[in-house]
Every structure is written in structure tokens, then in C-alpha cells.
């Protein structure tokens, strides 16, 4: 190669590199924080989004669930939040109080992709804080009943329970059949979701006075705790946490318990871990309620945008892409997370077994937990109070009185903030209110 040709070749190569750099500098880069396994799976879907939007590149950062909350708060303090984030539903109120989240209702109203009416109402409502929509549900989570149909039949139970009374009758029949060394139901004492589900099934709210005080001494929650505690008192449930048994899937398979209240991830676990001869002997059913099919927890995660993002238009396009029914169906097939849209469940692309259909039914009857930033601490106090009753023999009235007192202390700052806001509003009424007077 002559020196002239060599110089010409190097010049062409340099121009190509510079052209590539120019194209990259023109790109909009969306920073997307996702948690755990979801971050790995969504990367494959995002490649398709980038192909459809050549001027946008998505930079995904995987955040462990164990450190996600602290990392988000640190990023908020440092003005370093991403453009888009996967946020647990119970975290939305906290970041709403911080003023970190971008309101989304106007974007949803103008969207040809996101149809609010297509989402399960209880799930959508988890993202509405003080009347403002702050997220779009990405995937959902709730709890219902896994059960051994063969053990129910052997115990003479011919109908899957739909009410608390029917469930109690079924548990009593199972216990008589299986004897003293086995149980009718597994309700791990280190989990709060089961009792919380029963509490949400009541007409009385879990908090009162504008979510400023505990309401656990209400007749509704007393009824829920009484139903829950009775399962242990009757010997239908073992006084055990999940860590005290070797393996919940193996124990379910060998019939240590017949009913198990758990979430959608266990569909895959039971299909994988139970032996072939048991695969047609288990099923799922919606939660029984006090007087009929009961509501469950409206859990899951949502996609939120942050107020300070410089790339809101491009980020919203990614939210719309991930919210498409065909993309949600593929996300379910890849990871098993349940979609929040009815049309996704109805699509031919959604491949699921009968076990998942009970979750589809349950999702029509879910209810959000109180939207206060202290909720995760409150629900742990609820679990500890119930454990004092179950393990320690504390009278239920005493446990609930103590629980309300602790919750009132946790909510003291919320009451103060609300009082200050009310005082400022009275001192500085709006122009319309002043004119009206």
C-alpha cells in the first residue's frame, strides 16, 4: 500500500469515526433504573424500542431490591435521579411527598397506547396520590389461595371455599383427615400479607382521620385478626415462620399443609419443583371473603418519571412502549410477572395455565393499602402485633390498643404537616375563596 493510499484510508476511517461520534452526540439517552431480575429481562425488550426509535438510546441500570430504596433517596438528595424508574407501589406516596415524581394524567389522556379503563382499577389507584396520577402500572402482584385438590377431595370437601365460613369448615375437615402431624393451612408468621389481605376485606379503613391515626381497633380489623388468629387456635395452621420449615414447595408436595396463601411467582415454582405425579393435584383460587369472594392486596411496581428529567418526551415514549399489551405479554412469558391490563390477559399472545386465571379473577378485586410514606413501617408493626397474639398469647384487645398507639406515633409528623398546611391555607386563602367571601 503506497503512502498516499494509506493516508487516504486513514482519513476515511477517521471521518467514519467522527461521523459515528456525531450521531451518538445527537442521541437522547434515557437513564432507566430497574430492580433485580426485571432489569435483565427488560433489556431485551428495550433493544426493540431502540430499533423503532433510532434517535433514542436507553441506559439501564440494575438496582438490587435490597438497596433500591436507599439508592433512590441518595439520588434524590444529590439531584441525580434517573429519567425513568421501576417503583414499588407502596413507595409512590413517599416520593410524592418529596415532590420528585412527574404528574402523568395529561400524558395518559393524550396517549393512543395507554387506556386507563383497560387497567384493573385497584392497581391503577395505587398510583393516584392526593388526586394526582404519578405512575403507570408495569406489573402486578396480589395474594390468593394455592391448594391441594386431592387432599380436599379426600377430606370430603367438594367445593372450593368462597366465604370465611366455608373456608373454616374446609380447614376443619382437612385437619380431621390429615391428623395431628399435618395442617390445613400455612400462614407464615414472618409474613404480613395474609393478615393484611383479611384486613383490606373489611369496610373499616386501616387508618383514620385523613390517614393520620391507626384504626386497628375498629370492628373490621378486630374481625380480621379474630379470623386469622382462630386458624392457629384451632390447630389448623402451625405457629411457624417460613424459615422454620425446610422448603415450602416440598412441604406442600408431601401434604404438610393443604392451603397456602401466596403470590404469582409460586406458579412457576410449583410447576418446576413438584413431582410429575402431583402436577394435576394442585390449583389456585381467589381469596375467600367474609361473605363471598374477597378482595386482595393491590401490589406490584409502576413506571414513574421524575420531575427533573430533561428527557421527558422520549421517556414517555418508552413508558408507552412498555405498556403495550403485546410487550406486556412477552414480559410475562419471559419472567412471569402478571400484566396490569385486561386486554393483555385476553390476547392470544398471553400463554398461561389455569393456575394464573385465578389471579386474573382476583385482580378485579384488589384494594390499595393506605397511601402514606410510613406504610411499610406500619405494616411491620401490624405483623409484630399479630405475632404477639399468636405466639405470645397476648389478648387481642391489648395487642390492637398497643398497635394503634405505635401507629399514631409513626404518623405524628404527617399530622403536623397536614395541620401546618391547613393553617397556612386559612391564613392565605385563595383568590377565589376570598372573592367568594
Amino acid at each position: 500500500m503506497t503512502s498516499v493510499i494509506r493516508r487516504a484510508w486513514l482519513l476515511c476511517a477517521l471521518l467514519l469515526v467522527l461521523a459515528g461520534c456525531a450521531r451518538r452526540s445527537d442521541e437522547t439517552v434515557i437513564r432507566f433504573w430497574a430492580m433485580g431480575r426485571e432489569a435483565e429481562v427488560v433489556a431485551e425488550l428495550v433493544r426493540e424500542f431502540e430499533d423503532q426509535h433510532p434517535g433514542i438510546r436507553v441506559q439501564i441500570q440494575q438496582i438490587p431490591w435490597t438497596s433500591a430504596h436507599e439508592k433512590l433517596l441518595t439520588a434524590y438528595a444529590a439531584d441525580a435521579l434517573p429519567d425513568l424508574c421501576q417503583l414499588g407501589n407502596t413507595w409512590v406516596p413517599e416520593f410524592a411527598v418529596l415532590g420528585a415524581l412527574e404528574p402523568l394524567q395529561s400524558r395518559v389522556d393524550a396517549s393512543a397506547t395507554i387506556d386507563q379503563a383497560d387497567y384493573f382499577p385497584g392497581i391503577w389507584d395505587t398510583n393516584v396520590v392526593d388526586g394526582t396520577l404519578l405512575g403507570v402500572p408495569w406489573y402486578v402482584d396480589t395474594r390468593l389461595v394455592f391448594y391441594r385438590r386431592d387432599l380436599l377431595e379426600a377430606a370430603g370437601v367438594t367445593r372450593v371455599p368462597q366465604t370465611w365460613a366455608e373456608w373454616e369448615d374446609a380447614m376443619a375437615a382437612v385437619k380431621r383427615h390429615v391428623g395431628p402431624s399435618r395442617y390445613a393451612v400455612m400462614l407464615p408468621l414472618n409474613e404480613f400479607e395474609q393478615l393484611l389481605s383479611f384486613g383490606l376485606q373489611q369496610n373499616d379503613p386501616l387508618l383514620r382521620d385523613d390517614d393520620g391515626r391507626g384504626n386497628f381497633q375498629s370492628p373490621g380489623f378486630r374481625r380480621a385478626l379474630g379470623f386469622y388468629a382462630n386458624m392457629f387456635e384451632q390447630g389448623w395452621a402451625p405457629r411457624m415462620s417460613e424459615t422454620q420449615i425446610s422448603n415450602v414447595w416440598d412441604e406442600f408436595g408431601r401434604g404438610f399443609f393443604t392451603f397456602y396463601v401466596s403470590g404469582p411467582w409460586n406458579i412457576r415454582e410449583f410447576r418446576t419443583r413438584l413431582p410429575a405425579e402431583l402436577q394435576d393435584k394442585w390449583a389456585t383460587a381467589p381469596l375467600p371473603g367474609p361473605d363471598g369472594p374477597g378482595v386482595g392486596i393491590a401490589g406490584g411496581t409502576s413506571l414513574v418519571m421524575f420531575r427533573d428529567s430533561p428527557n421527558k418526551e422520549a421517556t414517555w415514549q418508552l413508558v408507552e412502549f412498555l405498556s403495550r399489551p403485546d410487550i406486556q405479554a412477552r414480559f410475562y412469558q419471559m419472567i412471569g410477572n402478571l400484566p396490569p391490563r385486561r386486554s393483555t390477559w385476553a390476547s392470544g399472545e398471553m400463554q398461561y395455565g389455569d393456575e394464573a386465571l385465578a389471579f386474573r379473577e382476583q385482580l378485579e378485586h384488589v384494594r390499595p393499602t393506605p397511601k402514606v410514606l410510613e406504610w411499610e413501617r406500619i405494616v411491620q408493626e401490624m405483623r409484630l402485633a399479630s405475632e404477639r397474639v399468636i405466639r405470645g398469647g397476648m389478648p387481642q384487645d391489648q395487642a390492637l390498643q398497643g398497635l394503634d398507639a405505635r401507629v399514631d406515633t409513626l404518623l405524628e409528623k404527617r399530622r403536623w404537616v397536614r395541620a401546618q398546611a391547613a393553617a397556612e391555607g386559612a391564613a392565605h386563602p385563595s383568590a377565589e375563596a376570598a372573592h367568594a367571601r
Side-chain angles (χ1 to χ4, degrees), residues 190-210:
N190 61 319
E191 297 179 358
F192 63 80
E193 288 85 358
Q194 294 84 357
L195 176 56
L196 176 59
S197 297
F198 304 147
L200 290 172
Q201 293 176 351
Q202 310 302 314
N203 292 327
D204 293 319
L206 298 173
L207 302 179
R208 61 183 175 88
D209 297 349
D210 191 24

Side-chain angles (χ1 to χ4, degrees), residues 53-70:
H53 301 79
I56 303 175
R57 184 166 60 88
V58 182
Q59 184 181 79
I60 299 174
Q61 182 169 349
Q62 183 179 31
I63 311 294
W65 273 112
T66 52
S67 60
H69 187 262
E70 181 180 357

Side-chain angles (χ1 to χ4, degrees), residues 1 18 30 32 34 68 79 121 137 148 152 162 343 359 397 432:
M1 182 182 295
L18 291 175
I30 299 171
F32 179 15
D79 293 325
R148 287 280 301 273
L152 283 188
Q162 295 186 21
S343 59
F359 281 94
D397 286 350
E432 290 184 2

Side-chain angles (χ1 to χ4, degrees), residues 43-53 321 324 326-327 330:
E44 182 176 331
L45 299 174
V46 160
R47 284 197 292 270
E48 181 175 330
F49 171 80
E50 291 175 330
D51 290 341
Q52 296 175 10
H53 301 79
F321 173 82
R324 282 169 30 189
D326 61 316
I327 298 300
R330 285 173 51 194

Side-chain angles (χ1 to χ4, degrees), residues 269-322:
E269 296 294 340
F270 285 136
R271 286 176 181 167
T272 302
R273 295 171 180 266
L274 291 181
E277 62 270 19
L278 290 180
Q279 287 299 329
D280 63 346
K281 292 180 171 57
W282 67 278
T284 57
L287 280 171
D291 305 300
V295 302
I297 302 169
T301 70
S302 297
L303 298 171
V304 300
M305 295 166 50
F306 291 103
R307 279 186 183 271
D308 293 337
S309 166
N311 304 310
K312 291 177 183 175
E313 297 308 315
T315 301
W316 181 248
Q317 291 180 61
L318 179 55
V319 173
E320 289 186 308
F321 173 82
L322 294 174

Side-chain angles (χ1 to χ4, degrees), residues 157-222:
V157 179
T158 58
R159 167 185 162 98
V160 178
Q162 295 186 21
T163 67
W164 282 5
E166 291 177 357
W167 201 6
E168 288 179 326
D169 288 344
M171 287 187 284
V174 167
K175 182 61 178 175
R176 286 193 298 269
H177 173 70
V178 300
S181 62
R182 293 191 290 171
Y183 295 88
V185 62
M186 182 67 186
L187 301 169
L189 290 172
N190 61 319
E191 297 179 358
F192 63 80
E193 288 85 358
Q194 294 84 357
L195 176 56
L196 176 59
S197 297
F198 304 147
L200 290 172
Q201 293 176 351
Q202 310 302 314
N203 292 327
D204 293 319
L206 298 173
L207 302 179
R208 61 183 175 88
D209 297 349
D210 191 24
D211 289 343
R213 292 187 181 276
N215 197 37
F216 293 96
Q217 295 180 83
S218 67
F221 193 79
R222 286 176 182 273

